[in-house]
Amino acid sequence: MEPHWKEIIPGDQYIVSIDGMQNIGDNKVLTLLYQPLIGPVCISLYFTLLNQVEDGKLETEPASHYYLMNLLDLNLSQIYEARQKLEAIGLMETYMKENEDLRSFIYVMKPPLSPKQFFTDGLLNIYLYQKVGRDYYNRLKQTFANKVIDKTGFDKITKGFQDVFSSSHFPYHDQIDEHDLTVKYPTKEIPETIMVQPPHFDFDLFLAGLNESVIPKQAITTEVKDVIIKLAFLYEIDAIQMKNILYSAINEQNQIDIEALRKAARDWYTIEHYSSLPKLVDRTQSPIYYANIDVPKTQEERLIRYLETVSPRQLLIDLSEGSEPLESDLRLIEEIMVKLNLTPGVVNVLIQYCMLRTDMKLTKSFVERIASHWSRKKVKTVTEAMELAKSEHRKYVDWQKQQKEIKSSPRKTTRTTRQEPVPDWLKNGGQTKQVEVDENFDFEAEKKKLEERLKKYKK
């Protein structure tokens, strides 16, 4: 993800456009259902942009982002991050036109899903359930539930249009202007559900692996395909596992039972992840946690920028010279980000530090212990994580030594004392300690290998 200053500056102009009028119920949906997922800053930006459109109009006059920054009392990186989340969740579309010295944006505000659409979405409702908990989730469902009035015993006596009105025919000499009949007025737009495309899920491969004698191709309707893709993204299910899940959701009519499919996917996930449900987390570091570096100049500043803008998964791939990371490593990183609420940039520093300390492996106990410490310290930025690693390096070495002593066998072995490698940024203030390590392990070679890998990071 590009830094915000490459995508937008305060002087850039924007116009807000709406496809249709919103109703009063949308405000309640946004506040109670969307806000727990994307946060109050996003909702504030949404309402601020929407309310700039005057009643009866479909768009605003051009304004600068500097004006928007003053309205919201936010910096541009916060506005840019909130805008991206609104786009991702389907509440906003952004269009850009760039001239030589002028960049203009059109922000098209989209209506939220209806309560029925939201609670049957299969994606947003799961994230909301995990965010607010079972009891409050059920209260929210009751808040938006509409009871159908029982009309039993009543007769319908509603008059039809032709019963009340008639059409009179009198001479009319003025010519009707077709433009008067076709002018566009604000109308309520039908909200669209979120479309996702999980990068790890190959739908064509999934279809190719299906046994048509068990599941005919006509059973994979547009609705079923949409549900499958959402479930694959939500629970990180690959094509092979999804095939097995789909087999359990086929009914006697050789059709896919949508609810059975969702339940089977949830059951699979809860078994794999110990009865938990997925949370909605950012893929990369939020711009609000970026270091105040306009143009990285030193090696350390370029490394900080890289760790801020790359995802933990991509970092593991880069450190492995393009190889896919182990499933166990990805699961460990996922648990740390979700359970301990660490930001992606902080997790990237943790990965780099721990892999160099443990022979390019992620040792679960060592990683989790440091991650817990950083979580308690409420570390949010890459620079904070680096500084804490420097100041607490001696403690972490002692932790590692204790773990080695616990796991080591009673028999005596020939050992030698050598200084273990650390990242270059740790040397500028971190204190090292001589610890016992295996003589056969060439730490300097491993350190050089890691440095070569990190030269490939994005600028």
Side-chain angles (χ1 to χ4, degrees):
M1 182 177 64
E2 292 288 347
H4 74 275
W5 56 83
K6 291 186 178 182
E7 300 292 329
I8 191 172
I9 60 175
D12 288 340
Q13 299 285 303
Y14 72 91
I15 291 175
V16 182
S17 173
I18 57 173
D19 285 345
M21 300 297 291
Q22 303 216 346
N23 61 45
I24 192 171
D26 291 340
N27 296 345
K28 197 170 185 179
V29 171
L30 288 163
T31 303
L32 298 182
L33 303 185
Y34 281 86
Q35 185 168 236
L37 299 181
I38 59 177
V41 174
C42 296
I43 298 301
S44 179
L45 174 61
Y46 182 89
F47 284 133
T48 300
L49 291 173
L50 189 66
N51 288 328
Q52 290 181 46
V53 182
E54 297 180 9
D55 291 341
K57 293 187 178 181
L58 293 178
E59 62 184 40
T60 66
E61 295 295 325
S64 70
H65 285 82
Y66 183 75
Y67 167 71
L68 189 60
M69 292 164 63
N70 288 329
L71 274 181
L72 292 165
D73 193 24
L74 296 173
N75 60 48
L76 200 56
S77 65
Q78 294 171 305
I79 293 175
Y80 179 63
E81 181 195 10
R83 192 195 85 186
Q84 289 183 308
K85 289 185 178 181
L86 290 174
E87 293 167 356
I89 210 163
L91 293 175
M92 182 176 174
E93 290 180 352
T94 301
Y95 300 86
M96 184 189 72
K97 182 174 68 174
E98 191 166 6
N99 297 325
E100 294 182 359
D101 55 351
L102 179 65
R103 189 164 41 187
S104 301
F105 293 86
I106 297 177
Y107 295 145
V108 181
M109 311 310 295
K110 313 295 286 187
L113 298 177
S114 67
K116 181 179 179 180
Q117 287 176 309
F118 191 98
F119 284 108
T120 58
D121 179 68
L123 186 70
L124 298 181
N125 58 327
I126 298 296
Y127 288 134
L128 181 65
Y129 183 97
Q130 177 65 15
K131 182 69 174 182
V132 302
R134 179 181 179 182
D135 292 339
Y136 194 70
Y137 179 84
N138 288 328
R139 286 176 58 186
L140 286 173
K141 285 182 66 176
Q142 291 301 317
T143 299
F144 291 97
N146 291 321
K147 295 182 179 179
V148 179
I149 298 177
D150 185 7
K151 295 187 287 288
T152 304
F154 288 81
D155 296 326
K156 184 177 180 179
I157 61 172
T158 305
K159 297 293 184 181
F161 182 87
Q162 70 282 355
D163 297 329
V164 178
F165 300 102
S166 62
S167 183
S168 299
H169 299 278
F170 294 98
Y172 187 74
H173 302 289
D174 292 338
Q175 183 67 32
I176 297 178
D177 188 348
E178 289 298 323
H179 176 73
D180 294 336
L181 300 180
T182 59
V183 64
K184 184 179 178 181
Y185 291 97
T187 57
K188 173 64 177 177
E189 184 193 10
I190 300 175
E192 298 177 357
T193 58
I194 297 176
M195 301 300 296
V196 295
Q197 186 58 56
H200 67 279
F201 188 78
D202 188 333
F203 195 82
D204 292 332
L205 176 65
F206 164 74
L207 288 179
L210 292 180
N211 188 338
E212 284 201 54
S213 63
V214 180
I215 301 180
K217 285 188 176 180
Q218 57 266 29
I220 310 297
T221 64
T222 302
E223 182 184 8
V224 171
K225 179 181 178 180
D226 179 58
V227 171
I228 288 173
I229 292 176
K230 281 186 177 180
L231 292 174
F233 173 82
L234 179 65
Y235 299 120
E236 293 191 351
I237 305 174
D238 59 31
I240 297 175
Q241 187 58 52
M242 182 61 76
K243 179 183 66 174
N244 298 328
I245 292 174
L246 193 67
Y247 285 151
S248 66
I250 190 85
N251 60 23
E252 297 176 353
Q253 291 77 35
N254 287 332
Q255 296 176 336
I256 306 300
D257 187 325
I258 299 294
E259 289 306 318
L261 177 61
R262 288 174 173 169
K263 184 179 185 304
R266 282 197 304 270
D267 291 343
W268 173 85
Y269 186 88
T270 52
I271 291 173
E272 292 288 320
H273 295 264
Y274 312 104
S275 299
S276 64
L277 285 175
K279 291 182 178 180
L280 196 60
V281 295
D282 292 338
R283 293 171 60 91
T284 56
Q285 185 82 342
S286 169
I288 64 175
Y289 297 126
Y290 282 1
N292 188 21
I293 303 173
D294 291 334
V295 179
K297 298 178 180 178
T298 66
Q299 179 75 6
E300 182 170 323
E301 288 180 347
R302 287 192 289 270
L303 177 61
I304 290 172
R305 178 58 46 79
Y306 169 67
L307 296 176
E308 288 175 336
T309 55
V310 73
S311 69
R313 177 188 178 91
Q314 186 59 48
L315 176 63
L316 289 173
I317 293 175
D318 292 347
L319 291 174
S320 302
E321 298 182 341
S323 301
E324 282 293 321
L326 295 174
E327 185 66 29
S328 58
D329 290 346
L330 291 176
R331 185 169 299 178
L332 174 60
I333 297 306
E334 176 193 352
E335 289 177 356
I336 288 173
M337 291 182 66
V338 173
K339 293 182 179 180
L340 300 179
N341 198 29
L342 292 181
T343 62
V346 172
V347 171
N348 286 338
V349 178
L350 180 67
I351 291 172
Q352 188 201 9
Y353 178 81
C354 290
M355 288 191 76
L356 191 53
R357 293 289 306 166
T358 53
D359 189 17
M360 296 305 294
K361 295 178 292 187
L362 289 179
T363 305
K364 191 172 188 293
S365 57
F366 187 55
V367 173
E368 288 181 335
R369 191 168 185 182
I370 297 179
S372 297
H373 183 227
W374 290 6
S375 177
R376 290 192 297 271
K377 289 284 189 177
K378 295 181 171 54
V379 179
K380 296 296 182 182
T381 69
V382 169
T383 51
E384 287 175 352
M386 286 182 169
E387 290 302 320
L388 187 59
K390 292 176 184 178
S391 62
E392 300 289 349
H393 176 59
R394 183 179 296 273
K395 178 190 295 183
Y396 299 156
V397 171
D398 290 339
W399 289 354
Q400 190 177 18
K401 183 179 179 181
Q402 291 169 7
Q403 291 175 348
K404 287 182 179 180
E405 290 174 347
I406 294 174
K407 293 181 179 180
S408 62
S409 60
R411 63 186 180 87
K412 296 183 179 179
T413 57
T414 302
R415 313 280 285 185
T416 187
T417 299
R418 182 182 299 176
Q419 182 172 320
E420 292 197 17
V422 293
D424 288 339
W425 51 262
L426 189 62
K427 295 177 182 178
N428 303 326
Q431 299 183 15
T432 59
K433 178 181 178 179
Q434 300 292 319
V435 295
E436 291 185 344
V437 297
D438 292 334
E439 185 175 8
N440 294 330
F441 185 72
D442 192 341
F443 288 113
E444 293 302 321
E446 290 298 319
K447 177 182 176 183
K448 185 176 181 181
K449 188 187 299 183
L450 178 59
E451 290 173 346
E452 288 297 321
R453 291 190 182 109
L454 289 178
K455 287 181 180 178
K456 299 178 181 179
Y457 56 71
K458 300 174 183 177
K459 294 183 180 180

